[in-house]
Amino acid sequence: MVKSRVEVLHRNLGPSSIWNQSGEVPRLSPDRTHHLIATLGCEFDGGGSFAPGDGEAWSLFKVALDLYPRVLLLNTDLLEVQAITAMAVFCLNLSGTQIQGKIISEAARVAQRAFLNKASTSSDAIIRSRAFWVVYYIEKTVTFHHGTTSFIVDCDIGSPIPIVQEAVFGDFDWFLTSVRFARLYSRTFTDLFSISATNNSKTAYLAKINQLERLLEQQCRTIPPQFQPGTKLRPQTFSHPCEIAAALRVHYHYHELKIALHRLKLHVTRDQSSSQSPSDMIDMMKSARAVIDLTRVIYQEPSTPFFVMIFMPLTALFILFDLVIHYPAHPDARSNIVLLESVTGYFSALEYATSGYLPGSMLIQFASIARAFHSSSHPAQVEDINNGNSGMGTTLGHPSPETLNTDILDCLTIRSPTSRLTPGLEIMDLFGGPLPGVDFFSASN
């Protein structure tokens, strides 16, 4: 979709065309927006980097960042929204995580300030609606990952969802599907994870969770079998890499929402172990296993979104590790350990691909600890997840998960009754801090 077009733009708009003859960066114009698209094209065309500030794509993006304050001062119109949206798309990768939140929140703000959320009868109505819904999808999904409040108010949207032919693969409309998932993210956060949701009773929580689970499954059934989550993703059945990328995102969005709903249900019923359904823990395990299985089709490239390449595989790793430690007698414990070794191998390969920027090989210790604990546990004395009791059972005389300091469940649940459970695992703190010595802006203005 984006890749095929931005590569052409990059070849026609190289770095030498960014500055004018006087060496000054000009004010925002249609050409500047094309140069922002060229930044994306450069990243897809081999000029990207996993580390912020490195590579040809970042040299172009630094110019865009220099223009960023000027964009905020200009009269907000479609062109300014498109410029910041292009910046937001670029920040979805690993190298952009440091400034991702600021750029995306600003994109949501200017889109509404330009009234792109309203219905329009102008000649550029379709372009305006496309820009708005791209911002909507990015902002709703990213704020859910971070556990933060969205800037876009769903009840104040009148812009129709356009048909984007580049995002239609046969009978599958990826653009429409992505917006539907974004809407589910928004509803899930508002109904279950917002501060006002903490006033819900346990009965109200469980009713809302069940309702959102039904909506998620209904949406899943509308997706063609080739792209449908819950089925085996077979890359050889797709004719273009864009189709694989769309299918991967569909699967990961589905499983992230499934995991979030099951986690919350376990959290709400944590004081009454008899009311906890073993199917919730098993379904969460199945989603984590599916996420790890899908790592075989992930391209470890600078242009791959952080959500796909790191966030979901790391979330699944923590979940399976916790389940192996707490339920080593479960029939799937051995295969879960194999999957843990598989995903830690994936992160080791990612460390190699990033030239050591992301130290993924340290995660190998999770698989080693899980295998060692599983081998030292006596199956007859460890409670099984299938018995309906979600309490933790350990073997006397052997080290418990507490002594190994591996109780990742504390990341999955919050013990204080007044605490607010956030949608995703708190792994973003590993990537959200500033990097010393990194200059995000170009040396010359």
Side-chain angles (χ1 to χ4, degrees):
M1 295 172 286
V2 174
K3 181 176 179 180
S4 58
R5 293 193 168 194
V6 294
E7 284 178 351
V8 174
L9 280 172
H10 168 57
R11 294 190 182 100
N12 293 330
L13 299 172
S16 60
S17 62
I18 290 293
W19 292 272
N20 58 24
Q21 293 180 354
S22 64
E24 297 178 351
V25 180
R27 292 186 176 276
L28 189 65
S29 66
D31 288 342
R32 301 305 105 202
T33 306
H34 288 171
H35 289 310
L36 285 168
I37 300 298
T39 301
L40 300 177
C42 178
E43 184 176 49
F44 279 105
D45 202 24
S49 172
F50 290 102
D54 295 341
E56 183 184 354
W58 259 95
S59 68
L60 298 174
F61 188 65
K62 286 180 180 180
V63 177
L65 287 178
D66 284 341
L67 290 171
Y68 180 70
R70 301 182 187 180
V71 172
L72 303 185
L73 294 175
L74 295 174
N75 292 328
T76 304
D77 206 345
L78 177 61
L79 187 60
E80 286 71 41
V81 177
Q82 289 175 323
I84 297 183
T85 302
M87 295 182 195
V89 172
F90 183 84
C91 289
L92 294 177
N93 56 36
L94 173 60
S95 68
T97 54
Q98 309 295 318
I99 55 177
Q100 182 186 87
K102 293 183 182 298
I103 300 295
I104 292 176
S105 62
E106 192 60 35
R109 188 183 67 84
V110 298
Q112 293 175 100
R113 196 171 71 182
F115 301 107
L116 267 61
N117 57 316
K118 309 294 185 181
S120 174
T121 58
S122 61
S123 58
D124 60 353
I126 295 179
I127 299 176
R128 294 174 65 87
S129 62
R130 286 179 61 161
F132 171 76
W133 287 110
V134 169
V135 172
Y136 181 90
Y137 166 72
I138 293 174
E139 200 263 354
K140 290 293 185 180
T141 54
V142 171
T143 53
F144 190 88
H145 307 332
H146 287 261
T148 56
T149 305
S150 169
F151 282 83
I152 299 177
V153 182
D154 289 275
C155 63
D156 194 34
I157 297 175
S159 175
I161 302 174
I163 298 176
V164 181
Q165 292 298 333
E166 299 91 334
V168 177
F169 308 112
D171 56 350
F172 176 59
D173 189 337
W174 157 238
F175 192 83
L176 177 61
T177 302
S178 66
V179 171
R180 286 174 173 172
F181 269 114
R183 173 58 180 149
L184 266 180
Y185 276 113
S186 183
R187 284 197 59 178
T188 302
F189 185 89
T190 301
D191 293 348
L192 300 177
F193 295 103
S194 63
I195 292 187
S196 62
T198 59
N199 295 322
N200 290 335
S201 64
K202 182 180 295 185
T203 302
Y205 258 126
L206 294 176
K208 288 179 180 293
I209 291 172
N210 292 333
Q211 179 188 21
L212 289 167
E213 283 182 331
R214 289 193 297 270
L215 289 174
L216 179 60
E217 295 303 328
Q218 288 174 7
Q219 178 166 321
C220 181
R221 287 192 293 270
T222 65
I223 299 173
Q226 186 181 12
F227 295 86
Q228 193 175 93
T231 60
K232 190 78 170 180
L233 184 61
R234 303 185 184 280
Q236 64 273 19
T237 62
F238 297 100
S239 59
H240 196 278
C242 290
E243 297 180 6
I244 300 177
L248 189 58
R249 288 206 188 195
V250 167
H251 281 249
Y252 273 6
H253 286 320
Y254 171 82
H255 289 299
E256 184 187 20
L257 286 167
K258 289 276 287 186
I259 289 171
L261 294 173
H262 289 310
R263 281 182 57 234
L264 183 58
K265 186 180 292 187
L266 293 170
H267 174 68
V268 170
T269 59
R270 66 192 181 281
D271 296 330
Q272 298 176 341
S273 59
S274 59
S275 66
Q276 288 190 332
S277 171
S279 63
D280 293 318
M281 193 76 75
I282 293 173
D283 287 344
M284 187 168 67
M285 179 186 70
K286 289 180 179 179
S287 285
R289 289 165 64 95
V291 167
I292 293 176
D293 178 67
L294 289 167
T295 57
R296 60 191 166 82
V297 300
I298 296 177
Y299 294 105
Q300 293 185 345
E301 299 289 342
S303 58
T304 302
F306 176 90
F307 165 72
V308 171
M309 190 168 63
I310 298 174
F311 183 88
M312 286 304 294
L314 191 56
T315 299
L317 184 154
F318 287 157
I319 290 173
L320 284 193
F321 175 79
D322 187 66
L323 291 176
V324 169
I325 295 298
H326 282 76
Y327 308 104
H330 189 265
D332 291 322
R334 289 185 181 275
S335 58
N336 286 341
I337 292 173
V338 173
L339 284 171
L340 280 174
E341 292 172 339
S342 172
V343 73
T344 55
Y346 164 84
F347 280 109
S348 294
L350 188 58
E351 178 175 343
Y352 176 77
T354 61
S355 300
Y357 173 71
L358 187 75
S361 60
M362 68 171 59
L363 297 174
I364 292 176
Q365 296 299 320
F366 281 87
S368 300
I369 293 172
R371 184 170 288 280
F373 184 79
H374 178 267
S375 300
S376 65
S377 300
H378 196 286
Q381 296 181 359
V382 184
E383 292 194 43
D384 195 303
I385 190 176
N386 288 325
N387 65 8
N389 186 354
S390 63
M392 179 179 61
T394 57
T395 303
L396 296 176
H398 291 285
S400 68
E402 289 90 341
T403 61
L404 289 174
N405 193 26
T406 56
D407 192 7
I408 306 301
L409 192 61
D410 287 340
C411 296
L412 302 176
T413 58
I414 298 178
R415 300 300 178 185
S416 171
T418 59
S419 299
R420 172 170 162 244
L421 187 65
T422 54
L425 289 175
E426 299 297 332
I427 66 171
M428 292 306 300
D429 290 340
L430 300 175
F431 307 93
L435 290 179
V438 176
D439 181 14
F440 290 105
F441 296 91
S442 62
S444 59
N445 294 319

